[in-house]
């Protein structure tokens, strides 16, 4: 027995000794040229079963390797194989540098260009940039849950989204600055906007699949256009790769809103693209037979499946691969639904508090169709001369069927369950298009002189044709015996109600030219860069607005439930609204020139400084009546915009940078048009032909640390001083009978300042990416205060109120958990976005701005490779079914004995006045890559 115990102990000791002789090999694999980590490289010990695949940070680990001598081999596509002998007697760390393969073709040497779609390339550009910049790579976008550029951009620090009625992201808000304070470029060229009123470009029109990267510049250099206070977003579309590339994907999905709700649609084929006046001339008197009725019929059916299709083809062709060609297309069709509960308030004329007037239920069914096409061709004459041509087309159509039920709490009401009920039926389609063409030349004229030029033609259109809306009403009455009876449902034709038809839209056409000359001489032993250039852009904008009212005949005609049964006898205002000021033509010419220089002081400090001048001339003529001031107008101004950017390299991995730049924000187009019309809350809205552009001084300070090619930590502060900020507020207009109007005006000085933190960390299979932004802003604006004076008369006064800027959240945050297993070829991403409380609607009345409550959005995406070419993926948005909610600071006044149906007050007496529910949407698809 003793011998057996001794034998077992000897065996255990022997096994432990053998196991103790097994070691681990760890290390990191990088591209020797770009210094980026190589993800997915194979590392093996030749002739054994031991091996590993590099992870997200390029790291690998091979465990339990017996001691001995081995031939270690590392290989990855487009790189030369790496081999080395190792003698393993202990744990070993081996860092491997892979060299890209190259081939010589006569006088031209073609090497693999830097992969600008990769996450490593994005990190390198953030590090090497002279400005405060964040970059979102195509690799990041592809693996994200997002299918539009708008939803993708929210992953960048300091950016929140203004969402459309479908719940999807639409406009970017940078550092709490409203969308008006930003601009968007495609491949560095500013594009016209299809927005019906403004300059800013709605980002939801761009499919994410055609984007190579998104760059967010938060500080401007002199060679960038100067009309951005919040920042500039550049979408760089995909470029032709060096080798043949074929990418394709298809997916199907659903919106869970329609699990419990019906999907409604209408016949879009019968919609007249143009109004009767547009077809027959402004003096035409339209008849009933010129208005088709079939598009007013709401059809209920099963919701269609969401669809997504993409295809990209590209590569370099020819013996010497001088010609590069890329074509990329995307199409998605997405049904969206929303349900809104609105507690409609009106400002009490005695107390200035919000008074509960009615409860509105709204149900929307929307079919979004988004398409994008991008084509690029370039020709490399030699290493010094390249010419490229680029075309891009984006399309977004939203067909909406809406039912709105308004239950009045004040009209003909004598207790709970009684009163007037209005039902509004609306069909509408909104179509946005952007088409952009550009030709660019890049020329290295001498060793020290380079020239580049660009010519661009682009147009954008927005069409909202034949919006059809009609209203029917009924009343519920309490009888003497206590019962409640409901009257007939009839077409209402009182107080400008009834049946409306409206056409509106615009077209923008831009012609632009850019020229840049760069001179890089050697001065005092260092290379110095001098750069000068300029641009010219001419814009032509045409806006149209036409509206008709159709009268039911006879009045109070009963509604049968079928709109086609209704009889309409005549058209009120049969010539439409041809004299409305929103029918206008506008021209704008911008001339710009700049000079800048970049140089080093010592070995660590890099300086970029310069000045930009921009001359703006904008003129317009509108169809407002001849006696309206500002019917014809023009604005002409010159801005000199200096800037200086300093970057100090604390080490090879650490920067300290600071920037100062001056910038402007031009007036919106329709803001200077002298339109005037009524709104719902005791005020009217009017344009302001005397509106001036906003001007700003901006300061940034940021510390950056790049511990790895993919990792980063950035912390910074910013400050903006804005002169003549443009805000909508109530003013007395001497030119309009000294009445009160909600109007765009310049309001003295505003301030915006805050702190940003941005980080990315990868550890083999796992990654954590996040950012946080703290922002404060102040602006003082006049507001109306209603009250009863000492004589008992109702009156009002204007009172200054200090508040945050519209759209500014104190707290913004993003956090994404990433998983990438190269062994199983699995990718996953769980992304959380937090948007803090912010003003969504600036009320003209004191103390009752509408605030959007804080939101948490959670999205998920995952991809599993099935082979080298095929993979399956899933994208799920709004996992938490986060609603859009508005609140007001004060509780409404009870105006009926059941007004307590408004939601229970929140903390600080804040009360919910609106809630929109969108539910979840998901896509499941198949992706092919060659």
């Amino acid at each position: 027995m003793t011998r057996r115990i001794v034998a077992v102990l000897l065996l255990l000791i022997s096994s432990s000794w053998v196991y103790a002789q097994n070691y681990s090999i760890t290390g990191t694999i990088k591209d020797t040229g770009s210094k980026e980590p190589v993800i997915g490289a194979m590392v093996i010990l030749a002739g054994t079963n031991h091996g590993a695949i590099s992870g997200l940070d390029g790291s690998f680990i091979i465990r339990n390797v017996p001691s001995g001598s081995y031939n270690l081999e590392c290989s990855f596509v487009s790189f030369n194989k790496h081999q080395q002998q190792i003698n393993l007697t202990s744990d070993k760390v081996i860092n491997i540098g892979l060299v890209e393969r190259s081939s010589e073709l006569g006088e031209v040497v073609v090497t693999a260009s830097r992969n600008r779609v990769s996450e490593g390339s994005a990190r390198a550009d953030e590090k090497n940039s002279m400005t405060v910049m964040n970059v979102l790579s195509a690799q990041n976008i592809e693996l994200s849950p997002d299918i539009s550029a708008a939803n993708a951009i929210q992953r960048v620090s300091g950016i929140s989204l203004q969402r459309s009625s479908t719940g999807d992201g639409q406009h970017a808000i940078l550092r709490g600055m409203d969308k008006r304070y930003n601009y968007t470029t495609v491949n560095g060229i500013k594009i016209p906007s299809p927005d019906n009123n403004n300059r800013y470009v709605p980002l939801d029109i761009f499919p994410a699949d055609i984007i190579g990267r998104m760059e967010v510049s938060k500080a401007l250099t002199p060679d960038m256009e100067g009309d951005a206070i919040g920042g500039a977003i550049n979408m760089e579309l995909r470029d032709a790769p060096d080798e043949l590339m074929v990418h394709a994907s298809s997916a199907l999905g659903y919106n869970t809103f329609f699990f419990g709700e019906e999907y409604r649609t209408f016949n879009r084929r019968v919609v007249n693209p143009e109004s009767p006046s547009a077809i027959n001339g402004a003096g035409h008197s339209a008849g009933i037979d010129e208005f088709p009725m079939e598009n007013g019929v709401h059809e209920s059916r099963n919701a269609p499946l969401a669809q997504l299709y993409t295809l990209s083809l590209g590569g370099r062709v020819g013996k010497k691969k001088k010609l590069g060609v890329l074509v990329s297309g995307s199409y998605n069709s997405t049904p969206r639904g929303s349900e809104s509960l609105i507690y409609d308030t009106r400002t009490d004329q005695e107390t200035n508090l919000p008074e509960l007037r009615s409860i509105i239920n709204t149900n929307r069914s929307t079919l979004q169709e988004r398409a994008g096409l991008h084509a690029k061709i370039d020709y490399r004459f030699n290493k010094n001369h390249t010419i490229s041509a680029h075309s891009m087309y984006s399309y977004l159509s939203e067909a909406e069927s809406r039912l709105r039920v308004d239950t009045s709490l004040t009209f003909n009401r004598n207790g709970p369950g009684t009163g007037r009920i209005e039902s509004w039926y609306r069909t509408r389609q909104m179509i946005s298009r952007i088409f952009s063409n550009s030709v660019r030349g890049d020329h290295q004229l001498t060793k020290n002189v380079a020239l580049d030029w660009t010519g661009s033609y682009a147009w954008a259109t927005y069409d909202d044709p034949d919006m059809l809306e009609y209203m029917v009403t009924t009343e519920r009455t309490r009888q003497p015996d206590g019962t409640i009876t409901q009257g007939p449902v009839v077409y209402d034709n009182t107080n400008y109600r009834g049946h409306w038809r409206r056409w509106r839209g615009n077209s923008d056409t831009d012609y632009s030219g850019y020229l840049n000359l760069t001179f890089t001489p050697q001065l005092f032993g260092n290379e110095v860069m001098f750069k000068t250039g300029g641009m010219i852009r001419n814009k032509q904008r045409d806006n149209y607005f036409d509206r008709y009212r159709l009268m039911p005949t006879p009045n109070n005609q009963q509604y049968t439930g079928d709109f086609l049964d209704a009889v309409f006898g005549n058209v009120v205002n049969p010539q439409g609204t041809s004299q409305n000021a929103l029918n206008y033509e506008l021209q704008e010419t911008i001339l710009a020139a700049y000079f800048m220089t970049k140089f080093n002081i010592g070995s660590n400090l890099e300086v970029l400084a310069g000045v930009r001048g921009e001359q703006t001339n904008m003129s317009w003529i509108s169809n407002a009546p001849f006696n309206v001031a500002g019917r014809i107008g023009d604005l002409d101004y010159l801005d000199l915009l200096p800037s200086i950017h300093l970057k100090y390299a604390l080490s090879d991995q650490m920067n300290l940078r600071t920037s100062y730049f001056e910038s402007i924000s031009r007036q919106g187009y329709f803001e200077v048009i002298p339109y005037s019309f009524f709104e719902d809350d005791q005020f009217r809205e009017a344009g302001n032909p005397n509106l001036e552009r906003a001007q700003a001084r901006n300061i940034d300070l940021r510390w950056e640390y790049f511990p790895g090619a993919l990792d980063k930590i950035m912390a910074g502060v910013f400050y903006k001083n804005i002169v003549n900020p443009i805000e909508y507020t109530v003013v007395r207009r001497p030119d309009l009978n000294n009445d009160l109007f909600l109007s765009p005006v310049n309001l003295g000085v505003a301030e915006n300042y805050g702190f940003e933190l941005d980080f990315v960390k990868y550890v083999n299979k796992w990654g954590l990416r996040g950012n946080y932004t703290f922002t404060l802003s102040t602006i003082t604006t006049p507001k109306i205060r209603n009250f009863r004076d000492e004589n008992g008369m109702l009156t009002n006064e204007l009172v200054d109120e200090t508040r945050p800027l519209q759209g500014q959240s104190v707290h913004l945050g993003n956090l994404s958990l990433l998983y990438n297993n190269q062994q199983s070829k699995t990718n996953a991403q769980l992304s959380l976005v937090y948007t803090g409380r912010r003003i969504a609607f600036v009320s003209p009345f004191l103390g009752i701005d509408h605030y959007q409550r804080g939101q948490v959005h959670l999205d998920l995406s995952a991809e599993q490779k099935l082979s080298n070419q095929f993979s399956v993926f899933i994208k799920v948005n709004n996992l938490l079914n986060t609603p859009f909610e508005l609140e007001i600071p004060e509780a409404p006044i009870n105006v009926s004995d059941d007004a307590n149906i408004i939601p229970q007050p929140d903390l600080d007496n804040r009360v919910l006045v609106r809630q929109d529910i969108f539910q979840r949407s998901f896509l499941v698809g198949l992706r092919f890559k060659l």
Side-chain angles (χ1 to χ4, degrees):
M1 183 69 179
T2 302
R3 269 187 251 166
R4 288 183 183 176
I5 293 174
V6 171
V8 170
L9 288 173
L10 288 174
L11 180 61
L12 289 173
I13 293 171
S14 174
S15 299
S16 300
W17 181 81
V18 171
Y19 181 77
Q21 306 315 300
N22 290 348
Y23 303 109
S24 294
I25 304 171
T26 60
T28 302
I29 306 168
K30 291 186 178 181
D31 179 343
T32 56
S34 67
K35 308 303 180 185
E36 296 179 17
V38 179
I39 302 171
M42 177 71 74
V43 184
I44 63 171
L45 302 180
T48 74
N49 293 324
H50 296 288
I53 297 176
S54 58
L56 290 168
D57 55 354
S59 66
F60 68 92
I61 180 168
I62 306 175
R63 293 187 173 89
N64 299 327
V65 182
S67 60
S69 295
Y70 297 95
N71 180 27
L72 182 143
E73 296 180 354
C74 179
S75 59
F76 191 66
V77 63
S78 78
F79 287 87
N80 294 324
K81 180 184 287 189
H82 172 89
Q83 292 182 315
Q84 72 179 86
Q85 284 294 125
I86 61 171
N87 186 27
L88 195 62
T89 58
S90 62
D91 290 341
K92 189 174 285 290
V93 177
I94 299 175
N95 293 320
I96 300 171
L98 292 183
V99 179
E100 285 186 298
R101 285 195 292 268
S102 63
S103 57
E104 296 190 9
L105 301 171
E107 79 276 11
V108 179
V109 177
V110 178
T111 60
S113 59
R114 184 162 69 92
N115 183 7
R116 288 181 60 79
V117 303
S118 71
E119 188 74 352
S121 174
R123 225 41 6 92
D125 284 348
E126 289 175 339
K127 178 181 177 182
N128 298 326
S129 169
M130 278 302 299
T131 70
V132 179
M133 175 189 283
N134 293 89
V135 181
L136 195 66
S137 70
Q139 186 179 61
N140 190 328
I141 295 171
E142 181 179 88
L143 296 177
S144 77
D146 309 309
I147 63 173
S148 74
N151 287 333
I153 200 70
Q154 68 180 320
R155 315 295 173 187
V156 174
S157 66
I159 293 185
S160 60
L161 292 180
Q162 184 183 80
R163 298 181 181 273
S164 69
S165 60
T166 65
D168 287 319
Q170 187 172 40
H171 298 289
I173 296 175
L174 273 67
R175 290 176 161 179
M177 302 296 297
D178 185 69
K179 52 189 178 293
R180 70 176 307 121
Y181 293 111
N182 315 311
Y183 68 71
T184 300
T185 60
V186 174
N187 292 340
I189 305 298
K190 187 178 283 189
I191 55 176
S193 171
D195 188 274
N196 194 50
N197 299 321
N198 300 288
R199 297 175 180 274
Y200 42 76
V201 177
L203 295 177
D204 58 341
I205 192 174
F206 299 102
D209 303 275
I210 67 174
I211 298 173
R213 57 163 42 192
M214 300 183 77
E215 302 167 337
V216 180
S217 297
K218 299 172 181 176
L220 306 183
T221 55
D223 56 348
M224 300 172 65
E225 297 201 39
D227 59 331
I229 297 176
I233 298 172
N234 179 49
M235 290 183 293
E236 188 175 292
L237 304 186
R238 292 180 180 269
D239 207 348
D242 291 316
E243 303 297 332
L244 175 65
M245 178 269 291
V246 180
H247 288 181
S249 64
S250 65
L252 297 175
Y254 204 72
N255 187 338
T256 60
F257 179 86
F258 298 112
F259 283 166
E261 297 286 342
E262 64 178 6
Y263 173 79
R264 288 174 292 107
T265 186
F266 65 98
N267 187 353
R268 289 182 285 166
R269 293 188 298 273
V270 301
V271 171
N272 273 339
E274 294 183 310
S275 70
S277 292
I279 295 172
N280 300 289
H284 174 70
S285 294
I288 289 293
D289 57 349
E290 296 181 64
F291 299 91
M293 299 298 173
E294 289 81 4
N295 54 318
V297 177
H298 297 250
E299 302 173 359
S300 296
R301 60 178 64 172
N302 292 328
L305 291 175
Q307 303 173 65
L308 172 66
Y309 306 101
T310 70
L311 177 63
S312 296
L313 305 168
R316 306 204 68 83
V317 298
K319 183 178 179 181
K320 298 178 181 180
K321 293 195 173 182
K322 291 185 176 183
L323 180 65
V325 179
L326 176 79
V327 178
S328 182
S330 175
Y331 170 80
N332 66 74
S333 173
T334 310
R336 295 289 195 213
S338 67
E339 184 176 15
S340 303
L341 176 63
I342 302 170
Y343 294 91
D344 187 39
T345 61
R346 188 179 181 90
T347 306
D348 185 81
Q349 291 184 308
E350 180 174 358
T351 66
N352 205 66
L353 290 173
E355 175 187 9
L356 182 60
R357 305 284 294 181
S358 64
I359 298 174
I360 302 171
N361 294 90
T362 304
N363 190 288
R364 287 185 180 88
S365 296
T366 306
L367 181 64
Q368 289 183 332
E369 292 182 286
R370 181 183 292 107
L373 181 63
H374 161 231
K376 183 174 182 181
I377 183 170
D378 68 87
Y379 189 79
R380 301 172 182 170
F381 293 91
N382 52 48
K383 64 180 181 180
N384 294 326
H385 299 281
T386 300
I387 289 182
S388 60
H390 159 263
S391 292
M392 182 272 297
Y393 175 76
S394 290
Y395 168 91
L396 176 64
S397 169
E398 295 182 281
E400 177 192 86
S401 176
R402 191 191 79 171
L403 171 59
R404 169 176 167 160
V405 179
D406 188 342
T407 303
S408 175
L409 298 180
T410 60
F411 191 77
N412 288 349
R413 188 173 181 84
N414 58 3
T418 67
R420 182 187 181 101
I421 300 174
E422 302 174 351
S423 297
W424 295 81
Y425 293 84
R426 186 171 82 178
T427 62
R428 180 184 185 188
Q429 58 177 341
M430 298 154 283
I431 304 169
S432 301
R433 301 179 181 90
I434 298 177
F435 182 54
S436 172
N437 293 277
S438 64
V439 179
R440 177 185 170 101
D442 292 275
H443 310 282
Q444 190 70 41
L445 302 179
T446 69
K447 179 181 178 181
N448 303 110
V449 179
L451 175 75
D452 68 80
W453 55 268
T454 302
S456 173
Y457 163 71
W459 55 258
T461 64
Y462 171 79
D463 291 294
D464 187 354
D466 198 6
M467 186 191 81
L468 187 157
E469 185 170 41
Y470 65 92
M471 188 189 76
V472 296
T473 66
T474 186
E475 292 186 8
R476 292 169 59 87
T477 306
R478 186 180 300 278
Q479 302 301 319
D481 62 359
T483 61
I484 295 176
T485 60
Q486 181 170 322
V489 180
V490 297
Y491 288 92
D492 194 324
N493 198 40
T494 60
N495 194 25
Y496 294 98
R497 302 169 187 268
H499 178 190
W500 289 94
R501 310 295 282 265
R502 189 199 67 194
W503 283 258
R504 70 171 183 171
N506 66 270
S507 64
D508 263 24
T509 303
D510 283 6
Y511 295 91
S512 306
Y514 300 78
L515 183 68
N516 301 289
L517 181 67
T518 306
F519 178 45
T520 54
Q522 291 284 329
L523 296 179
F524 309 108
N526 293 314
E527 183 178 274
V528 178
M529 183 272 287
F530 298 101
K531 188 176 180 181
T532 186
M535 62 149 280
I536 180 172
R537 179 168 56 251
N538 181 265
K539 175 187 290 293
Q540 175 70 48
R541 183 180 181 91
D542 297 304
N543 210 82
Y544 68 88
F545 180 91
D546 212 355
R547 183 170 60 179
Y548 302 80
R549 182 179 175 218
L550 279 61
M551 298 280 287
T553 304
N555 287 336
N556 296 322
Q557 186 177 157
Q558 190 162 341
Y559 176 61
T560 66
D562 187 346
F563 179 65
L564 296 182
D565 289 341
V567 178
F568 296 92
N570 65 310
V571 181
V572 179
N573 300 324
Q575 296 180 0
T577 50
S578 59
Q579 287 193 320
N580 191 296
L582 291 179
N583 291 286
Y584 66 86
E585 295 180 359
L586 180 145
Q587 285 190 340
E588 183 179 68
T589 300
I590 297 175
L591 294 170
Y594 72 90
F595 174 80
M596 58 187 275
T597 182
K598 186 173 74 171
F599 55 89
N600 291 340
I601 299 178
S603 58
N604 292 4
L605 180 61
E606 200 170 359
V607 180
L608 187 151
V611 64
R612 182 181 184 90
E614 292 193 350
Q615 176 73 43
T616 304
N617 177 267
M618 181 166 64
S619 60
W620 65 88
I621 179 169
S622 77
N623 285 5
F626 285 95
N627 62 343
V628 172
R631 184 182 75 88
I632 298 175
D634 68 272
L635 297 169
D636 200 343
Y637 48 87
L638 172 67
D639 292 287
L640 295 178
L641 307 172
S643 64
I644 183 169
H645 307 267
L646 308 176
K647 183 174 71 172
Y648 186 80
L650 299 170
S651 69
D652 290 341
Q653 299 174 312
M654 194 180 301
N655 293 325
L656 182 64
R657 65 171 78 240
T658 185
S659 296
Y660 171 83
F661 71 98
E662 296 185 13
S663 58
I664 65 172
S665 178
R666 295 187 177 93
Q667 307 91 330
Y669 302 120
F670 95 121
E671 291 173 335
V672 299
I673 303 299
Y675 68 92
S676 173
F677 53 77
F678 282 94
E679 280 295 328
D680 296 332
D681 202 3
Q682 301 169 326
F683 61 89
R684 290 184 293 177
E685 186 175 325
N688 181 6
N690 299 313
L691 191 66
E692 297 183 26
R693 83 282 197 194
Q695 300 169 289
R697 295 184 290 270
N698 311 270
I699 299 173
D700 273 272
L701 177 66
R702 188 164 83 178
W703 170 83
E704 305 168 341
Y705 178 48
F706 300 89
L710 295 182
D711 300 340
K712 69 175 179 180
I713 303 175
M714 297 176 174
V717 294
F718 59 89
Y719 172 79
K720 298 178 182 295
N721 180 274
I722 309 163
V723 179
N724 287 327
I726 300 172
E727 290 271 322
Y728 278 79
T729 190
V730 174
V731 293
R732 291 199 183 275
R733 293 286 295 269
D735 58 326
L736 295 171
N737 298 321
N738 209 37
D739 289 337
L740 291 172
F741 281 85
L742 183 67
S743 184
V745 295
N746 301 111
L747 292 170
V749 177
E751 292 184 316
N752 184 346
Y753 51 94
F755 164 79
E756 288 182 335
L757 175 66
D758 193 0
F759 66 88
V760 177
K761 178 61 181 175
Y762 293 96
V763 180
N764 202 259
K765 299 181 180 67
W766 294 93
L768 189 65
R769 181 174 62 241
N771 57 70
Y772 167 74
T773 303
F774 173 83
T775 311
L776 292 176
S777 62
T778 57
I779 189 170
T780 301
T781 64
K783 295 290 192 74
I784 299 174
R785 185 176 76 87
N786 292 317
F787 64 99
R788 192 178 292 276
D789 64 18
E790 62 273 12
N791 299 319
M793 302 295 293
L794 292 174
T795 186
N796 59 64
E797 64 180 354
L798 292 179
V799 179
D800 284 344
E801 180 183 57
T802 299
R803 57 170 174 81
L805 290 166
Q806 181 176 352
Q808 178 255 304
S809 297
V810 176
H811 305 286
L812 293 175
N814 282 267
L815 190 64
S816 295
L817 180 64
L818 314 172
Y819 179 74
N820 185 311
N821 189 326
Q822 292 291 323
Q823 199 79 35
S824 64
K825 302 189 183 302
T826 304
N827 279 293
Q829 177 174 323
L830 185 65
S831 298
L832 179 146
V833 178
Y834 173 73
T835 303
R837 185 172 181 258
R838 63 187 181 187
I839 296 178
F841 169 71
V842 177
S843 171
F845 297 97
L846 180 68
I848 52 174
D849 294 331
H850 285 54
Y851 282 78
Q852 176 185 319
R853 286 184 171 179
Q855 293 182 324
V856 175
H857 281 265
L858 187 64
D859 305 314
L860 171 70
S861 59
E863 181 179 24
Q864 175 63 57
K865 269 204 167 187
L866 305 177
S867 67
N868 288 335
Q869 285 80 38
F870 288 96
S871 59
V872 293
F873 65 90
I874 184 172
K875 296 176 183 282
V876 185
N877 293 99
N878 199 18
L879 275 167
L880 301 178
N881 188 23
T882 300
F884 170 85
E885 295 178 319
L886 291 181
E887 62 188 18
I888 51 178
E890 299 291 340
I893 301 169
N894 290 341
V895 296
S896 68
D897 53 4
D898 62 343
N900 58 0
I901 55 178
I902 199 165
Q904 187 173 358
D906 201 336
L907 295 176
D908 302 323
N909 208 31
R910 300 196 303 260
V911 175
L912 179 72
V913 293
R914 176 169 183 154
Q915 183 182 72
D916 296 345
I917 301 294
F918 305 103
Q919 291 292 342
R920 304 160 187 85
S921 60
F922 63 88
L923 283 170
V924 179
L926 181 68
R927 182 176 286 130
F928 172 82
K929 285 187 176 183
L930 178 63

